[in-house]
Amino acid sequence: MSESTRLAVSLGRSEPPLAEQIAAAAHAGAQLVELRVDLIEDLAQVEEVLRAARRLPLLVTLRCAAEGGAWRGTERERITLLTALADLEPDFLDLEFKSLRDAPALAALGAVRRRNRPRLIVSWHDTIGCPPDPREIARLQRAAAPAAITKTVCAARDARDALRMLRVLRDGAPAGGRIALAMGAAGLASRVLARKFGAFLTFASPMPDTQTAPGQPTIDELRRVYRWDEITPISSVFGVVGWPVEHSLSPLVHNAAMRDAGIDGVYLPLPVLPEKASFDAFMKLAESESALDLRGLSVTIPHKMHALTWLDERRFPVSDDAQRCGAVNTLIRTKQGWRGENTDVSGFLTGLSTLVDAPAEAFRESSAAVLGAGGVAAAVVAGLRKIGCDVTVYNRTRERGAALAGRFGCGCAPWADRQNAGHDIVVNCTSVGMWPAVDASPLDPFSFKAECIVCDTVYRPARTKLLRDAEACGCRTLGGVEMFIAQAGEQFSLWHARPAPLAVMRAAIPPDNSDAPAR
Ligand code: NAP
């Protein structure tokens, strides 16, 4: 039976004492500890933990500068130290593939070969980018040291490089003796999916500020947010494609919802460079990797229009809402390929309907003001028009407002006319009031009609000044977080064919989400 992928914690400090850090790592769920001797200042502590009884298997790494490490001595000194550490019989010893070809490195390798311990990890790092096909590098590594574990690492430019590294794990023999990771925020998928693809290990850091390589998630993030312990070889994959998406709240809410519903799946941030060509190339790569089992994607700025065009070019179906908005925010895998939706429209209407505890159609012929004319405004206008509202668009840049109004056959008024305009519904789709300008509002206090419903798409902070002012006037309000949850809930239902656990999704958002954009 093959062992499952180890969760390795990488340690690069000697304070608090290494022995304490190892105990804490074991407590947090780590199954292996890497000692980054090039980063750890107190070598005596390294020797001490190698001599002591071991709580967890230990991997010794003395990374040279050329491969992203902090070792500043000569190569000869490095190999001498590595050989001395190998004599203390760590469970694993990292040796760079490039060093393996050099004469001094062979001395260290000789020390390894005399005994079964340490087992050698032959590593290769590209700290600048990723080769088009890193499988070729991994094959050379395996040929040079057939008995060793191979570790192939690149720097990810976007999520495509993370997928390329996963391919290394599927090339030829079972992945058990392989590590393939993409560094940087864009490489996160390779670190999380290492378990699905059967890698030897993945690395995590004990705390947010103790990473020993760019993009390492914390052990807590990996286990609590990315469902590390639950990932299986047949887990389905979901994610959010956009640029940037590193601070997206979508992984928090979708992973929490899948866990609650008992769905074998994981949802990941998938940053893809902004051009349409990058989106197309990402989809091509993801589709070609059938083992990935990519079932659904959230799509955000700047790829919503790219996704629509991509679907149109392939004659895949696109919902009326998405067509009307000119934007797709949800891709659903089907037997025939993909289909596109825009859950910003339905999510907004669901939020409205929940607020009044009646179908959104109850607002037919109500008068609505939409402040703003950007992407979110298009979805809100589409929703309001769909239920028969009489909509007026107010936008700072008049031409942009007129263009949006023209597309949906609604009114357009100057931005200066937005105060006390007497509408039944007001929706702020501008970024006014967003953190850090939390004392700003697009409307003056007391400029609302009695019984008015006031919605703010801004979710950071959750209760904006606009909403606080409206509540003070006795208006019912709908905030950006509720709209975000509602659209995410629609996505969940489309992907998993069941109602979304909305309360669980809501609870997954940190109470103070002021540091994070919603997606
Ligand atoms: P966008 O396409 O860039 O549009 C921004 C809009 O805000 C434009 O209409 C712009 O007017 C207006 N605006 C910006 N600064 C302004 C100011 N100082 N005074 C007046 N108008 C101003 O952005 P978007 O994607 O539509 O996002 C709009 C808001 O929705 C953001 O606050 C975002 O946080 C929020 N959002 C919410 C969700 C959710 O699920 N709740 C999801 C995504 C975004 P001009 O045309 O004159 O520039």
Side-chain angles (χ1 to χ4, degrees), residues 276 299-300 302-311 325-328:
K276 161 88 164 40
V299 185
T300 188
H303 292 309
K304 289 184 183 186
M305 283 166 66
H306 300 157
L308 175 64
T309 314
W310 183 84
L311 290 161
C325 292
V328 162

Side-chain angles (χ1 to χ4, degrees), residues 7-220:
L7 181 48
V9 157
S10 185
L11 301 180
R13 296 176 182 190
S14 39
E15 198 48 55
L18 269 183
E20 281 178 30
Q21 293 184 58
I22 293 170
H27 184 71
Q31 294 152 317
L32 190 149
V33 167
E34 178 187 46
L35 301 171
R36 279 291 300 271
V37 183
D38 54 311
L39 295 168
I40 297 170
E41 283 178 5
D42 186 355
L43 189 59
Q45 281 196 44
V46 173
E47 291 172 357
E48 196 181 306
V49 296
L50 284 169
R51 287 200 171 93
R54 286 183 201 161
R55 237 180 131 160
L56 291 173
L58 297 178
L59 154 64
V60 162
T61 300
L62 185 54
R63 182 74 63 238
C64 58
E67 302 225 9
W71 175 256
R72 294 289 173 257
T74 66
E75 182 63 5
R76 183 172 289 278
E77 287 164 344
R78 194 174 75 91
I79 296 301
T80 304
L81 178 53
L82 258 186
T83 310
L85 291 169
D87 284 341
L88 296 177
E89 299 194 351
D91 302 82
F92 304 97
L93 183 84
D94 184 297
L95 187 67
E96 292 82 357
F97 174 57
K98 286 162 196 159
S99 303
L100 193 60
R101 293 177 304 199
D102 298 342
L106 291 176
L109 185 62
V112 170
R113 277 185 178 151
R114 280 197 296 277
R115 300 174 291 268
N116 282 333
R117 212 162 79 171
R119 191 169 172 204
L120 197 63
I121 296 183
V122 172
S123 63
W124 176 92
H125 300 82
D126 184 337
T127 56
I128 310 243
C130 183
D133 192 351
R135 288 176 297 190
E136 288 167 11
I137 307 280
R139 282 175 204 146
L140 292 176
Q141 289 175 273
R142 290 202 292 278
I149 295 160
T150 54
K151 179 185 179 204
T152 316
V153 177
C154 77
R157 286 154 299 195
D158 76 5
R160 284 171 287 172
D161 291 334
L163 300 189
R164 288 190 180 101
M165 297 318 287
L166 290 171
R167 284 183 153 184
V168 171
L169 298 174
R170 293 215 320 111
D171 186 35
R178 290 182 213 168
I179 302 163
L181 298 169
M183 291 187 293
L188 183 68
S190 70
R191 296 185 183 274
V192 176
L193 296 179
R195 184 169 168 114
K196 173 176 164 68
F197 283 74
F200 177 72
L201 62 71
T202 203
F203 289 103
S205 94
M207 309 286 281
D209 60 345
T210 56
Q211 292 161 321
T212 57
Q216 256 175 26
T218 64
I219 191 163
D220 179 58

